Amino acid sequence: KLVFTRRQYAEARANHPNAYRVLESLLISNCFLFIGCGLNDPDLILLLENYRFFHSYAASHYFILPKKVHGDTIRMLKETRNLHILQYDKRDDHVALTQSLEKLTQLAETARVEIARNASW
């Protein structure tokens, strides 16, 4: 089911609190890379602000945005949502982002193989 309005967001939080608890747990136990998300999603804001202030010891998450994000916005996102902003040049149909994500995928796969090779289970 899709959620579009603020009322629907509020109803979803009230009617499905365990779904939000799962998301909160995932934020605490994993590092997220947000790609293609808007900065104004009310549920995302709520989750990240709660994470930042209830778990101030926890690791930051990453948010990818096209360049030209104002420095004040970057500071606010770090201070209130514990986000590191990664910026890219969106010219040529976001090719820089696509290439960076391909490289990240390769590095992650290499690390995964290395971890599995060194695991002593």
Side-chain angles (χ1 to χ4, degrees):
K1 186 173 180 184
L2 296 175
V3 176
F4 291 108
T5 67
R6 292 224 177 222
R7 179 185 172 104
Q8 289 173 324
Y9 276 110
E11 288 173 346
R13 278 194 304 275
N15 294 332
H16 307 286
N18 288 336
Y20 288 85
R21 289 185 185 106
V22 168
L23 290 172
E24 289 168 352
S25 296
L26 290 170
L27 283 172
I28 294 167
S29 60
N30 295 277
C31 179
F32 277 69
L33 174 64
F34 293 94
I35 305 168
C37 296
L39 292 173
N40 297 318
D41 180 296
D43 278 347
L44 187 58
I45 292 169
L46 179 66
L47 285 166
L48 290 171
E49 287 180 352
N50 284 347
Y51 171 78
R52 160 62 179 92
F53 290 101
F54 290 131
H55 308 285
S56 58
Y57 59 87
S60 297
H61 298 290
Y62 296 85
F63 209 98
I64 297 179
L65 294 171
K67 284 185 180 175
K68 298 191 180 179
V69 178
H70 194 278
D72 290 339
T73 300
I74 292 172
R75 274 189 296 285
M76 178 275 297
L77 293 170
K78 175 66 177 161
E79 292 172 3
T80 64
R81 300 180 198 168
N82 201 15
L83 291 172
H84 285 294
I85 303 303
L86 305 173
Q87 297 184 72
Y88 70 95
D89 187 337
K90 65 180 182 177
R91 279 184 291 166
D92 298 325
D93 202 28
H94 305 271
V95 70
L97 175 61
T98 303
Q99 291 171 344
S100 296
L101 291 173
E102 288 170 354
K103 180 67 176 172
L104 179 61
T105 301
Q106 293 168 358
L107 292 169
E109 186 57 33
T110 300
R112 209 176 280 120
V113 168
E114 188 66 25
I115 290 167
R117 183 179 305 126
N118 294 324
S120 57
W121 12 41

